[in-house]
Amino acid sequence: MKTVTTLLRRLPFAVILTLVVTATAQSGEVRVAVASNFYRPMQALANDFEQRSGHQVSLSAGSTGKLYAQIINGAPFDVFVAADQARPQALIEQDLATADSLMTVAIGQLALWSADAKLITGQQQLQPNSTIKRLAIANPKSAPYGAAAIAVMEQLGVAQYWLPRLVQGQNISHTYQYVSSGNATAGFVAVSQVYQQGRLIAGSAWLVPSSLHPALKQDAVLLQSATTNQAAQALIEYLRSNAAKTIIQSFGYRTQSQ
Amino acid sequence: MSGVDLTVVWLTLKLASVVTLLLLVIATPVAWWLSQTQSKLKPAVSAIFAIPLVLPPTVLGFYLLLLLGPNGPAGQLSAGLGLGTLPFSFAGIAIACAVHSLPFVVQPLQNAFEAIGKRPLEVAATLRASPWDTFWHVVVPMARPGFFTAIVMGFCHSIGEFGVVLMIGGNIPGETRVLSVEIYNHVEAMEYSQAHWLAGGMVAFSFVALLAIYIINHRANRRGTL
């Protein structure tokens, strides 16, 4: 009991100490809002960047739409890595992000994937009377990968057949969950979710040629409130570097110069 | 409001009604047993029926997805019975909602049953009323405010259900795309004005429903029936 009261008496000092420590550390800190699909690569990038620069990176993952809504309502982020090009562009138009920092960080690739190792042999599984009973896609209204999936089906002329057989995940990780748990026979997911170092991790897949859908470009911007934050500017610079591009490619994305 | 949004509102009301009925059927005997029992199992059973209150809906939804899916035990059972699997169907989200809303119905009922006390039941027994008679003609009328609270709580909680439906629903129009999911869709797609209409409507509805509970319970308290 006595130790508890002593602890309680010392608590204000501990709080002040923590505040002081955080305040000094903040000089080199970047707060990044990152689209959930890019969270794993961004973690690897952040680690590499921290080692090179000595700055601290904190990541907040969420859907691009939600992060955008948070940013226009004053969320304290320095860099926004979106899953599309529309939201960063919209931030620039509202003077909430700087136009010269705008860059395409990664280009996503789409795969038709099933947890069943024998099911997918190519695009023929998308033809009518397919063995696929339920096809999962990400919500096409909010998720770029979902819109790309719809575009692929339209290009192949099978959209009408699949429309009543679709189930929608809220985002690409949720879609992956539907397929990996077997609830949907197959689904359109991101290559980055099912490939590691160029090899399929499990199941079977068809790599969708990028000519069948609009490019899945993911843009990043520096937010207006962070123009004086040197660590944030350093991170934007780093994301353009070849070191960063190698890491991004290892996660199943293409990069701009390719 | 567009026609699409009206479908969503209708589907949500249908879901909440089905879930509330389902919950009354399940929760009434459970609450009655909990209010009367001397069993050592009571704390364990109480805890099981309170778990959905504590678990994040995403966790609940994730486990239901695995459990009800083609590889889960419940999914294999329902497929074996020729019912197919439940995720992505109206029946599936109704069951999921019922699981999540269970404590909101069990607890007011249990409180109302416990508040009745032993005496009215003993009096009914000396008048040779069977337990079944006693339940319908003594317990139910005396616990009416409890039933009212339980119905409104169950209904409103189902109207606002989000995480669980999102996890196992699959966002299918007319089948599993309910109000809260549609609001989320509108926000994600930057359609803020449509989102405002639906969200504002929900705030107003919730306020009116809760106001009704408090007014009725306040009156019941003053009359001393609770």
Side-chain angles (χ1 to χ4, degrees), chain A residues 210-235:
Chain A
S210 52
S211 56
L212 288 177
H213 59 81
L216 291 160
K217 289 189 178 175
Q218 302 197 209
D219 281 4
V221 274
L222 182 71
L223 298 181
Q224 200 67 50
S225 55
T227 40
T228 53
N229 182 338
Q230 290 188 346
Q233 282 168 343
L235 179 66

